[in-house]
Amino acid sequence: MEFETWWLLGVPFFFALGWIAARVDIRHVISESRSLPRSYYKGLNALLDEQPDRAIDVFVDIARLDPETAELHFALGKLFRRRGDIERAVRVHKNLLSRPDLSPDLSAQARFELGQDYLKAGLLDRADETFHQLAGTQFAAKASRALLEIYQREKEWKRAIEAALALQASGAGAYQKEIAQFHCELAQDELVHVHPDAALATLEKALAHDRNNVRATILVGDALLAKGDPEGAVRAWRRVEQQSAAHVGLVAQRLMDGYRAVGRASEGLKLLKGYLAEASAIDLLEVVFRAELELAGPDAAKQLITDELRRMPTLLALDKLIEARLMYAPPERLAELSMVKSLVGGYAQKLARYQCSHCGFKAKQFYWQCPGCSQWESYAPRRSEELSVLNQG
């Protein structure tokens, strides 16, 4: 390709065009910024200064001057909802929905925000109805997640299963773990009403969705025991160790009771001591200590705790050691040991908590769903003191 000298004449021309375009664009931006009311910037500054109440007052004034600004109304609605002024948030979003000129996308957004208002206010029936109206819109997936939250709050497990399956089918993520837990909830209800066969059928569905669901396996054992089959129950509970060795402590008492029911308590104790040797656990130690005390006496129980305390030094284990020593302590030492046990036991109980890995909520008992944040399977099956010792090791 040959270079023509006259091309050089075009360079200043194109440069001039670019300069003119940039000037026009800058003037447009400046013009738009000047057209915004000064109160808009006041409201923005109030938000940045973490003064939401003042920001709301300013934005309300702007909305009165320019009622057609949908985005400003959405911002107002969210501010009202965050502040807890649900009635005003609902009014804002209903006013938006009443506008005939609102586009379908903005209408769907307003309806979704209205559903969130109802959900925040605890008006679950209205929220349910509002979110159902968003099927087929761009907010359908978000609405389905909100509906799933509602069904869990209301413990409508069958509807929760349907919602989770629909979400999963839409490509909104995997919900196998949650669906299995919903089936477990249904099975637990069946066991409460002494319907073990119905519970077993439901638990099969739970395990079909999540083969490693420890809770479902534990409940299978409970259902078999309710049917009068302790041997089958023991076999089911022993499968927990294959699914998750850390969860054995949760089923240890059931296993010991099951072996007692079939007349093989010593075999059960041997099994649990084997579990304890492989992986130390406070809940497992508690059951083994009681069984050793019953079947082998205080000396064997004391030796068991002494060995375990060397391996896993915790206040909970020390509390058990003092308890074993109290059983054969001379009369002159009873008062002293009792006082020490009371002090150690008090501190040990404060540390004997399960903790949610998602929100940090602590509880005396183990939960499959955290009472604080509603996450499923977020509790470690070990006590907080035990986890601290393991992390330090």
Side-chain angles (χ1 to χ4, degrees):
M1 185 176 180
E2 295 184 2
F3 179 79
E4 297 290 344
T5 307
W6 64 267
W7 288 359
L8 294 174
L9 299 175
V11 174
F13 174 72
F14 289 112
F15 178 80
L17 282 179
W19 181 83
I20 292 169
R23 293 289 294 174
V24 169
D25 192 51
I26 291 170
R27 286 177 181 175
H28 178 69
V29 170
I30 293 173
S31 174
E32 282 197 344
S33 65
R34 285 175 177 171
S35 67
L36 289 171
R38 291 184 62 189
S39 52
Y40 175 85
Y41 297 103
K42 290 181 181 178
L44 194 57
N45 281 328
L47 278 181
L48 293 173
D49 291 338
E50 297 184 359
Q51 299 175 0
D53 291 346
R54 183 183 167 202
I56 285 174
D57 292 337
V58 172
F59 286 140
V60 166
D61 289 338
I62 300 173
R64 285 177 186 150
L65 295 173
D66 188 8
E68 302 301 315
T69 310
E71 291 301 329
L72 182 56
H73 284 75
F74 284 130
L76 269 176
K78 288 180 180 179
L79 283 170
F80 285 139
R81 187 166 67 232
R82 188 176 300 173
R83 197 176 66 167
D85 195 345
I86 305 299
E87 186 177 344
R88 294 179 78 183
V90 168
R91 195 182 313 136
V92 166
H93 295 131
K94 280 189 172 181
N95 286 339
L96 275 173
L97 285 170
S98 66
R99 281 171 47 176
D101 61 330
L102 202 64
S103 70
D105 287 346
L106 289 177
S107 178
Q109 184 178 350
R111 200 171 300 280
F112 177 75
E113 294 297 339
L114 180 61
Q116 293 282 14
D117 297 338
Y118 289 142
L119 189 59
K120 181 73 179 287
L123 302 172
L124 301 185
D125 289 343
R126 292 187 186 181
D128 187 342
E129 180 184 352
T130 304
F131 287 132
H132 267 109
Q133 294 170 1
L134 290 166
T137 71
Q138 60 178 334
F139 288 89
K142 289 184 178 180
S144 294
R145 290 191 188 95
L147 285 169
L148 184 58
E149 180 185 341
I150 290 170
Y151 300 147
Q152 291 182 76
R153 281 200 205 178
E154 294 187 320
K155 300 189 183 302
E156 294 187 18
W157 303 117
K158 290 182 179 179
R159 297 184 74 182
I161 291 169
E162 292 173 1
L165 286 171
L167 272 169
Q168 196 164 261
S170 70
Y175 287 85
Q176 300 285 8
K177 179 177 72 175
E178 289 81 359
I179 293 170
Q181 288 292 346
F182 300 156
H183 281 296
C184 286
E185 291 286 344
L186 290 172
Q188 193 125 25
D189 289 341
E190 296 289 359
L191 286 174
V192 168
H193 294 95
V194 198
H195 299 145
D197 289 324
L200 285 170
T202 304
L203 291 168
E204 282 184 19
K205 297 176 183 177
L207 290 167
H209 284 282
D210 182 5
R211 297 304 305 175
N212 291 318
N213 190 287
V214 173
R215 184 187 185 189
T217 301
I218 294 174
L219 289 174
V220 165
D222 293 350
L224 290 171
L225 186 65
K227 286 188 68 175
D229 183 8
E231 287 278 9
V234 167
R235 285 195 299 272
W237 292 326
R238 287 192 63 172
R239 287 200 292 272
V240 169
E241 194 267 341
Q242 299 168 14
Q243 293 176 311
S244 172
H247 284 80
V248 167
L250 300 179
V251 78
Q253 190 61 60
R254 285 178 170 90
L255 274 167
M256 198 63 228
D257 292 342
Y259 274 106
R260 283 196 190 95
V262 297
R264 304 204 307 272
S266 297
E267 183 183 339
L269 177 58
K270 182 180 178 182
L271 174 72
L272 294 182
K273 287 173 78 173
Y275 289 157
L276 189 63
E278 291 177 8
S280 182
I282 293 296
D283 291 324
L284 181 57
L285 177 62
E286 170 75 25
V287 177
V288 172
F289 170 73
R290 296 293 174 195
E292 186 82 343
L293 195 62
E294 174 193 340
L295 298 173
D299 288 334
K302 173 179 164 292
Q303 188 59 49
L304 171 79
I305 292 292
T306 302
D307 294 341
E308 192 60 26
L309 196 55
R310 290 195 187 100
R311 189 159 65 119
M312 177 71 72
T314 64
L315 280 176
L316 292 164
L318 179 61
D319 184 50
K320 294 289 171 268
L321 178 61
I322 298 171
E323 183 178 339
R325 288 186 173 179
L326 269 170
M327 292 178 184
Y328 59 91
E332 62 271 17
R333 295 205 59 197
L334 280 175
E336 180 185 351
L337 280 173
S338 296
M339 182 181 66
V340 173
K341 186 182 186 316
S342 177
L343 288 171
V344 171
Y347 281 107
Q349 289 305 311
K350 291 179 181 178
L351 296 172
R353 297 286 191 273
Y354 295 104
Q355 185 170 357
C356 174
S357 60
H358 187 259
C359 71
F361 188 90
K362 292 183 179 181
K364 290 183 179 180
Q365 70 181 77
F366 181 85
Y367 288 99
W368 294 103
Q369 184 184 28
C370 175
C373 64
S374 300
Q375 288 288 314
W376 289 99
E377 299 180 34
S378 59
Y379 271 81
R382 296 180 183 275
R383 305 281 180 171
S384 54
E385 184 194 13
E386 185 180 358
L387 289 173
S388 298
V389 173
L390 288 171
N391 291 333
Q392 290 171 5

